[in-house]
Amino acid sequence: MRTLRKTVEVFRSLHSQQPDHGYFAPGRRTAPPRRPTVLGDLVEGDTLAYQVTVDGGPSILFMGASNFAERELWGIRPDIAAIAMTSHSALHRYVERLLAALGNPPLLIPTRHDDMTTPSPTPRPSSRPRPSPRRPRSSRPPPPPPPGS
């Protein structure tokens, strides 16, 4: 069996910028954090983007925040880019600039459509029928092995 080789590149990135040109949770962690109980317990820290490349396969860029350092990403040319679309209205031509820096990847996957602060709506019950429960397993013994085994 052949083992696939993969490469992971890490790029300095920037956190999403708010419409007031500030950041959601400015600050830095200098010690292990306590378990957060509310969103405000989180701080920005350092933001990174990752490109994973598999030999003989595609290269995929993963961005978790909708801002970027152009010089870091300029010319990397991923086959697929998964880019965050959260709160990017404060960034001048975010999508156009990002795609130009990446060389217009053939496949773009928008991610992170939330705004991190608006509560999610309560899910509505589905109108689709529920799958029927599985039948109980048979209590019969298994069939005998094939002859000659």
Side-chain angles (χ1 to χ4, degrees):
M1 182 162 96
R2 193 183 116 183
T3 303
L4 288 177
R5 289 178 12 131
K6 358 181 203 329
T7 303
V8 177
E9 296 173 85
V10 182
F11 300 95
R12 182 179 64 86
S13 193
L14 300 172
H15 201 271
S16 305
Q17 198 168 29
Q18 304 260 344
D20 65 359
H21 302 287
Y23 294 93
F24 162 69
R28 281 234 161 127
R29 289 278 180 218
T30 57
R34 294 181 332 232
R35 183 177 178 163
T37 56
V38 295
L39 201 53
D41 288 346
L42 304 172
V43 298
E44 152 64 23
D46 292 323
T47 300
L48 303 171
Y50 302 90
Q51 180 170 263
V52 178
T53 305
V54 177
D55 284 352
S59 59
I60 307 168
L61 175 69
F62 296 97
M63 293 179 58
S66 55
N67 199 349
F68 65 104
E70 268 177 272
R71 287 183 174 195
E72 290 287 320
L73 299 180
W74 192 266
I76 66 170
R77 306 298 182 252
D79 298 307
I80 301 167
I83 66 168
M85 296 303 292
T86 310
S87 301
H88 62 83
S89 62
L91 299 171
H92 178 69
R93 297 178 47 233
Y94 165 68
V95 175
E96 294 86 353
R97 289 177 31 248
L98 177 59
L99 294 180
L102 301 177
N104 293 304
L107 181 57
L108 183 65
I109 302 171
T111 64
R112 299 279 314 270
H113 300 281
D114 59 18
D115 69 3
M116 299 277 301
T117 56
T118 303
S120 296
T122 304
R124 290 180 292 165
S126 174
S127 59
R128 293 184 297 181
R130 290 182 166 257
S132 59
R134 293 184 179 206
R135 291 184 299 181
R137 292 181 182 254
S138 171
S139 58
R140 290 185 290 171
S149 59

